[in-house]
Amino acid sequence: MPDPNQETLGPSSRAIEPILDDITKQQVAILLHCSESTVARLSKRADFPRPYKIGGRVYYSEKEVRAWHADQKAKRLMPS
């Protein structure tokens, strides 16, 4: 029996997995333990993940934000 929570394109297509990577500025702030205004300021930096719009709403890629955060921690640990 097919999973009722998965969408399909048609009777012969495979199930479409939902995209769970999109997070809001508020969620980025929670993830990074900072304010939303700090996220807005970070978004202006060339090395911070670029936000994108879906249906008029602004999102960030959680994978990209987590990778950026890990990179910042790695840079901190490298000797100058």
Side-chain angles (χ1 to χ4, degrees):
M1 176 180 272
D3 184 353
N5 295 323
Q6 289 187 335
E7 297 178 41
T8 59
L9 294 174
S12 64
S13 65
R14 294 185 290 166
I16 299 173
E17 293 184 28
I19 299 173
L20 302 175
D21 188 47
D22 304 326
I23 59 174
T24 64
K25 182 174 17 175
Q26 181 181 21
Q27 291 170 312
V28 173
I30 291 167
L31 186 66
L32 298 179
H33 303 285
C34 66
S35 68
E36 289 183 48
S37 59
T38 297
V39 174
R41 190 170 50 254
L42 287 170
S43 295
K44 295 177 183 178
R45 292 175 43 169
D47 66 333
F48 194 76
R50 294 277 139 241
Y52 49 91
K53 287 187 178 183
I54 300 175
R57 295 183 183 209
V58 177
Y59 294 98
Y60 294 80
S61 165
E62 182 178 359
K63 289 177 187 174
E64 291 177 8
V65 172
R66 287 184 182 275
W68 175 85
H69 185 251
D71 186 54
Q72 296 304 301
K73 287 171 70 175
K75 286 179 183 176
R76 173 186 61 133
L77 298 174
M78 289 192 300
S80 303

